[in-house]
Amino acid sequence: MSQPVQIKNALISVYYKDNLEPIIHELNRLGVKIYSTGGTETFIRNLGVGVIPVEDLTSYPSILGGRVKTLHPKVFGGILARRGFAGDEQQLAQFEIPEIDLVIVDLYPFEETVMSNAEEDDIIEKIDIGGISLIRAAAKNFKDVMIVASKKDYGELEEILKTQNGDTTIDQRRSFAQKAFNISSHYDTGIFKYFNQEEQLPVFKESIQTSQVLRYGENPHQKGVFYGDLDRMFTKLHGKELSYNNLVDVDAAVALIDEFTEPTIAILKHTNACGIASRNFIKEAWIDALACDPVSAFGGVIIANDEIDAETAAEISKIFYEVLIAPAFTDEAVAILKEKKNRIILVRQPVLLPAKQFKTLLNGVIEQDKDEVIEGPEQMKTVTQKQPTAHELHDLFFANKVVKHTKSNTIVFAKNNQLMASGVGQTSRVDSLKQAVIKAESFGFDLKGAVMASDAFFPFPDCVELAAEAGITAVLQPGGSINDKLSVEMCDLKNIAMVTTGVRHFKH
């Protein structure tokens, strides 16, 4: 049937009763007969509105501590019956089953209970059975039945009741069914993921309910959407909405800055750090981060792990950037930064980030654990005759953090907690090294006494040979090449130190 359906009978059974009252009064005004259960029945009765207990319809009480209330043919028959279908109408009459035209049902708060670290027995009790069944039944029969499965839709339902006098259209019922199946599938995904934490079945399931349509994707001809709750992650103080490319860079910036505890600022372009420095004060960190590559910093994403004060803000405002992120800003800093119209200013909130990463690939999805390993001086094994100094080990640790978050193949030069240059995303490691040397020289950096980190092993000794000639005194690499011995021998020949970590940090 495609004509409007007049709501004559409604079934209402909800966990959350927020904003339900206006709907009850509107249904009462329209003369709709209301069936209900438990707490919802009491709520409706207390409003002075007539309500029929479901038990009176089924002739069965709520049993098993409330586990079974609505699971009965007299309930589901009234929801699933096809109007205008002779066989269904005959059976409704035979068994005295009323047609139910509106179902308002929500679900027990399973995800919220899991997040509260409740005991497993409490979590299991929040797996809804009757509610999910009612939602699916009403949504399946959307041609005749309106399903409202979330309190977020109460306002829209109330408007329909007021303006259409209890009639619902096929387009409205189909739209509400779409929302209902979204809710039920998300709910079941949450339950499955709870049970799939230990002995995991090899399946991929994700469900994210919040989203934000982006101006476009990676390029203007591509559509883009972010699925997630950015408002939980950031408080926006100023600027336009984040773009697709902004979000990709911001994600890389957050991952990089989380490696550092001392006051640090990083500048990223196309997910790679073009400047980063750690200092005692955040303003000093900014000045030295910018010095690494002030050309690439133009239009970049800047992230800090300490409060931005007025002096630092004044320095940052001297260049054009897309996004600035920090855990806090002074009022004076915000006033200075807001003078630039289109700069995006974000306060980062403490949000637990996912431990898994996934992306579409070919005709499927690949997933992996996030790379949360970082090797410090304790994990660095000296393999050369020359031992690295304590200062060199400290710089190697700094360089290793940066190289971990830079596109492969990559080489990073660092000295005194400052990135001096990097070679990024080259098809050969020696080309990355040559690129880094050229960049360091072009910005006036003296590489004498600097250290070098590589995201993967050296297949040949040419990299350490060129590095030594440039002034590098200590090298970090994971090791593991059949030619490791050649690189070690070259280090010994050039009188520089080398350490291996045993851990590769490719990033594609």
Side-chain angles (χ1 to χ4, degrees), residues 151-323:
K151 61 183 180 181
K152 294 178 182 178
D153 296 322
Y154 287 176
E156 185 178 353
L157 174 63
E158 184 184 354
E159 184 66 18
I160 290 171
L161 295 174
K162 285 181 176 179
T163 59
Q164 298 174 198
N165 291 317
D167 282 350
T168 62
T169 68
I170 184 65
D171 289 341
Q172 289 168 340
R173 296 192 299 275
R174 188 183 187 94
S175 174
F176 274 75
Q178 179 191 38
K179 295 177 184 179
F181 281 123
N182 175 45
I183 288 169
S184 65
S185 64
H186 177 78
Y187 193 79
D188 283 339
T189 296
I191 295 170
F192 170 76
K193 292 186 77 171
Y194 173 76
F195 280 94
N196 204 44
Q197 294 179 91
E198 296 178 6
E199 295 184 13
Q200 295 188 350
L201 294 175
V203 297
F204 180 83
K205 288 183 186 291
E206 287 293 334
S207 178
I208 302 173
Q209 293 289 75
T210 53
S211 64
Q212 178 179 321
V213 177
L214 306 174
R215 296 195 301 275
Y216 51 80
E218 199 164 9
N219 299 291
H221 62 276
Q222 296 170 271
K223 293 181 180 179
V225 181
F226 173 78
Y227 294 98
D229 189 355
L230 281 177
D231 291 337
R232 285 188 62 228
M233 184 85 193
F234 302 109
T235 300
K236 189 173 74 171
L237 302 181
H238 184 62
K240 57 189 178 182
E241 296 300 320
L242 290 165
S243 69
Y244 181 101
N245 291 330
N246 288 156
L247 286 166
V248 173
D249 284 337
V250 166
D251 177 68
V254 167
L256 173 60
I257 204 70
D258 281 352
E259 300 283 359
F260 299 87
T261 54
E262 59 272 43
T264 302
I265 287 187
I267 310 166
L268 286 88
K269 202 75 172 289
H270 301 299
T271 74
N272 297 303
C274 57
I276 182 168
S278 299
R279 294 293 182 260
N280 292 327
F281 301 100
I282 203 70
K283 178 184 173 183
E284 296 173 352
W286 164 251
I287 291 171
D288 288 342
L290 179 61
C292 175
D293 186 349
V295 175
S296 295
F298 182 87
V301 169
I302 304 167
I303 190 164
N305 63 357
D306 204 354
E307 182 180 65
I308 300 296
D309 56 26
E311 288 188 3
T312 308
E315 291 295 325
I316 292 174
S317 288
K318 292 177 181 179
I319 74 161
F320 170 72
Y321 59 88
E322 289 273 351
V323 185

